[in-house]
Amino acid sequence: MKLERTADGSYTLYVPELDEHYHSVKGALTESQHIFINMGLKYSSVTEPHILEIGLGTGLNAFLTLLSAEESQRKVHYTAIERYPLTEEPLRLLDYPHLIGRQHEKEYYAIHRTPWEMENRLSPWFTLHKIEGDFTQLFQSTDDSYVTNSRYDIIYFDAFAPEKQPEMWKQSLFDALYKVLNKEGILTTYCAKGIVRRMLQAAGFTVERLPGPPGGKREILRATKKAF
């Protein structure tokens, strides 16, 4: 795993085995803020949203969500599913608190240090429940109790690209994600490929193509579960 500086001055990690980066090389911080916070969290009108992130990764999306919750004093319940948790060494090299919010350094590292499989209160406005496991197995199991019993208002779909992890981008998985969303719930993702848009539509979502982050991807997708 290799540390790389991105165009906005923030850093990301490169995974040689997948030939893939955790974030856009055109701006890790800019990408996460635009796609998941501005187009996802801030777009939602839910007073106390429950968020599901597919892929905790470096914790950048969770950290930005925590900062937004603190700033707006809006309570957020955050669940993240991660199959391959990162160790603290590369996280310290990324040094996101230095770039974003040094006064919240303790909370950033708490995102990774808190116990798995239980809800942890990291601030008065942010609780975190980490699940260490395979998203594809959890959502495609013959025992669909997780899908049946879970409800979210916002989904951050931040898996590695379809050509790198095709098993994460299947119709059955988008169907399951549609089921766990509350009415008017939204899903945001950086991937605007036609095949992804069509799978989201087939699952029942109303899908928008939106402008991508400044200097980054041309388009992103936001999918909404409309109340009928």
Side-chain angles (χ1 to χ4, degrees):
M1 197 170 292
K2 179 183 176 184
L3 184 74
E4 291 191 8
R5 188 180 181 91
T6 71
D8 65 3
S10 58
Y11 290 88
T12 189
L13 295 171
Y14 172 69
V15 185
E17 295 83 359
L18 293 174
D19 186 26
E20 180 74 314
H21 295 83
Y22 272 84
H23 305 285
S24 170
V25 295
K26 296 180 179 180
L29 173 58
T30 303
E31 176 190 58
S32 290
Q33 179 69 38
H34 178 79
I35 299 170
F36 301 110
I37 308 305
N38 297 344
M39 299 295 119
L41 176 60
K42 292 185 177 181
Y43 177 78
S44 172
S45 61
V46 177
T47 303
E48 190 171 325
H50 286 70
I51 298 175
L52 173 65
E53 180 180 16
I54 306 303
L56 177 66
T58 65
L60 179 56
N61 295 334
F63 187 45
L64 290 174
T65 301
L66 183 152
L67 296 181
S68 179
E70 291 279 340
E71 182 181 8
S72 63
Q73 296 192 341
R74 178 189 186 191
K75 287 187 178 180
V76 171
H77 302 272
Y78 200 97
T79 300
I81 302 172
E82 177 58 63
R83 187 177 182 183
Y84 302 111
L86 292 171
T87 63
E88 195 162 306
E89 182 181 359
L91 299 175
R92 290 201 170 276
L93 293 175
L94 291 167
D95 199 16
Y96 289 141
H98 176 73
L99 294 172
I100 305 167
R102 177 63 75 185
Q103 70 273 28
H104 293 284
E105 182 174 15
K106 179 181 177 181
E107 289 95 331
Y108 173 69
Y109 290 108
I111 288 170
H112 299 278
R113 291 173 181 168
T114 51
W116 294 80
E117 317 305 336
M118 62 182 293
E119 189 165 279
N120 301 275
R121 188 180 182 187
L122 303 192
S123 88
W125 307 103
F126 185 88
T127 61
L128 173 66
H129 180 194
K130 298 187 299 183
I131 299 172
E132 185 174 0
D134 185 341
F135 159 67
T136 64
Q137 295 300 314
L138 192 61
F139 277 74
Q140 290 188 134
S141 171
T142 53
D143 172 16
D144 65 351
S145 58
Y146 186 85
V147 173
T148 302
N149 298 324
S150 302
R151 285 294 177 268
Y152 300 98
D153 303 295
I154 304 165
I155 295 175
Y156 297 166
F157 197 87
D158 200 17
F160 286 126
E163 60 270 23
K164 306 297 182 180
Q165 284 190 316
E167 69 277 9
M168 300 285 284
W169 305 78
K170 291 183 176 180
Q171 185 66 59
S172 59
L173 295 172
F174 287 118
D175 292 344
L177 289 175
Y178 184 85
K179 291 179 182 178
V180 302
L181 268 179
N182 291 320
K183 293 295 176 63
E184 302 297 340
I186 58 176
L187 178 153
T188 57
T189 181
Y190 64 87
C191 185
K193 289 179 179 293
I195 188 172
V196 174
R197 176 176 53 83
R198 290 189 290 274
M199 283 193 289
L200 288 167
Q201 290 172 329
F205 288 101
T206 298
V207 184
E208 304 170 84
R209 281 198 181 108
L210 301 172
K217 295 179 67 67
R218 186 168 61 87
E219 292 181 329
I220 64 168
L221 295 181
R222 180 168 63 206
T224 305
K225 182 176 182 176
K226 293 295 186 182
F228 297 105

